[in-house]
Amino acid sequence: MTAAHIVIMILFAIAMIYYTIKWQKRRNDASAPGEHTHIQHKDIDVPEAHQKEGEQRSEGAVREWAEHEEKATVVTQPEQERSIPEEIVTHYMSYFHTEAQIAVEEELKEGKFAVLQFPPVGNRAFWVSATCGLSMSGGVELILYSAERESGLAVHLADVATQASSQFAQTGRSPQSGLAFALQSPIVPDSALTYLYVSHPLFEDESFSHFTDGQKVVRFLMLHAISPSEHEFLQSHGPDALETLFVHREVNSIDFFRAPAIEADSNMSEKD
């Protein structure tokens, strides 16, 4: 792990403390009387081994997630209907410690993949969106962090996963750290960030990055939203220079409304 990665992890830890306080306040506000919008999603079971802090799980079913966790409904999903790899779900659960919500399902040549979303829990004051089943086409799963629950992130992640699968089918190459994928629209409305840059999963334990069931190895890679000017810098100077720039500018990877670390048409050199 490079010094730049260590600095990024320290900056992220500071950001997480801030968002923990903010998230706790948001949960308190959500418990007050008022009108709430409820959005339903299909879920999958949480393995019993990952039950945390006395949280109750319902057998043979999982709770559908709502924006404010009120009037949550329970959906039974028979085992034979599941099409995503349970071993990948279990791997995620062992690190994220909360139920998985299926936000998107897509077809690939090799079968289905899903985009799962994991809400904040405990000291993890951020949302995680993660592919599940993409590894059937290239041996890689992709994850994306966000400070807030953004409904469009799952669609963006599914689009990038489809691009990665198509790339693998055409070239035999799976996504690697240092690549970037173009989005069809900004990561969130009014954001200047329109690409997703691939890196190692900096915000998890080192053991998170690989999984094996004894027959196949699955790698997990992290996505960072970047701007067109940052993408141009990446193309000109490479991933090490971009990550060094992010450390220098103290870029917060989960702030989708941040200003680009480099201005458009800038002649900034790699040494800058």
Side-chain angles (χ1 to χ4, degrees), residues 255-271:
D255 180 5
F256 296 149
F257 295 102
R258 66 175 179 83
I262 184 171
E263 296 181 1
D265 302 322
S266 171
N267 293 320
M268 180 177 182
S269 69
E270 188 173 354
K271 292 182 179 180

Side-chain angles (χ1 to χ4, degrees), residues 3-260:
H5 289 166
I6 295 174
V7 173
I8 292 174
M9 293 177 68
I10 293 173
L11 292 174
F12 182 77
I14 295 172
M16 287 304 96
I17 295 173
Y18 167 77
Y19 284 115
T20 297
I21 298 172
K22 182 178 178 181
W23 174 66
Q24 186 61 52
K25 181 179 183 299
R26 191 162 64 248
R27 289 193 62 184
N28 293 339
D29 293 342
S31 64
E35 296 183 358
H36 301 291
T37 301
H38 303 281
I39 301 176
Q40 296 185 340
H41 299 274
K42 294 183 295 180
D43 291 344
I44 52 182
D45 292 17
V46 180
E48 183 178 352
H50 303 308
Q51 294 180 6
K52 298 294 180 180
E53 299 178 1
E55 185 176 0
Q56 298 299 312
R57 313 291 187 186
S58 57
E59 244 180 54
V62 291
R63 181 171 301 153
E64 291 197 344
W65 286 69
E67 286 187 349
H68 296 293
E69 297 183 286
E70 294 179 357
K71 302 179 182 178
T73 55
V74 174
V75 176
T76 300
Q77 188 180 21
E79 186 73 29
Q80 62 270 22
E81 293 182 7
R82 294 179 184 162
S83 58
I84 59 177
E86 288 297 309
E87 64 271 18
I88 302 300
V89 178
T90 301
H91 181 78
Y92 285 144
M93 296 296 182
S94 65
Y95 289 88
F96 303 151
H97 308 308
T98 186
E99 293 177 338
Q101 156 190 314
I102 300 179
V104 174
E105 286 187 285
E106 296 284 350
E107 294 284 348
L108 295 175
K109 182 178 180 181
E110 294 77 6
K112 286 186 177 179
F113 80 91
V115 174
L116 309 181
Q117 290 186 318
F118 300 84
V121 63
N123 293 328
R124 298 178 64 90
F126 48 89
W127 288 81
V128 184
S129 300
T131 63
C132 186
L134 176 62
S135 52
M136 294 184 295
S137 178
V140 171
E141 302 287 354
L142 302 173
I143 59 174
L144 177 63
Y145 297 87
S146 60
E148 306 285 344
R149 184 186 187 192
E150 304 286 354
S151 59
L153 294 186
V155 176
H156 284 310
L157 188 50
D159 176 52
V160 167
T162 302
Q163 292 183 54
S165 176
S166 177
Q167 174 182 292
F168 179 77
Q170 294 175 16
T171 67
R173 298 183 61 184
S174 56
Q176 302 291 330
S177 180
L179 294 180
F181 293 91
L183 301 177
Q184 297 183 17
S185 60
I187 187 73
V188 293
D190 300 321
S191 171
L193 312 180
T194 58
Y195 288 83
L196 285 176
Y197 168 74
V198 183
S199 83
H200 296 293
L202 302 177
F203 305 151
E204 303 295 340
D205 292 339
E206 187 174 350
S207 59
F208 175 84
S209 62
H210 291 81
F211 162 82
T212 181
D213 60 4
Q215 296 181 334
K216 62 183 178 182
V217 176
V218 176
R219 294 184 300 119
F220 298 86
L221 294 174
M222 178 180 176
L223 299 175
H224 306 259
I226 65 174
S227 70
S229 58
E230 292 165 348
H231 179 257
E232 183 177 350
F233 184 86
L234 169 67
Q235 297 296 100
S236 300
H237 301 294
D240 288 342
L242 179 65
E243 293 184 17
T244 299
L245 174 66
F246 284 171
V247 171
H248 178 69
R249 298 294 174 85
E250 299 184 350
V251 168
N252 181 353
S253 181
I254 61 174
D255 180 5
F256 296 149
F257 295 102
R258 66 175 179 83

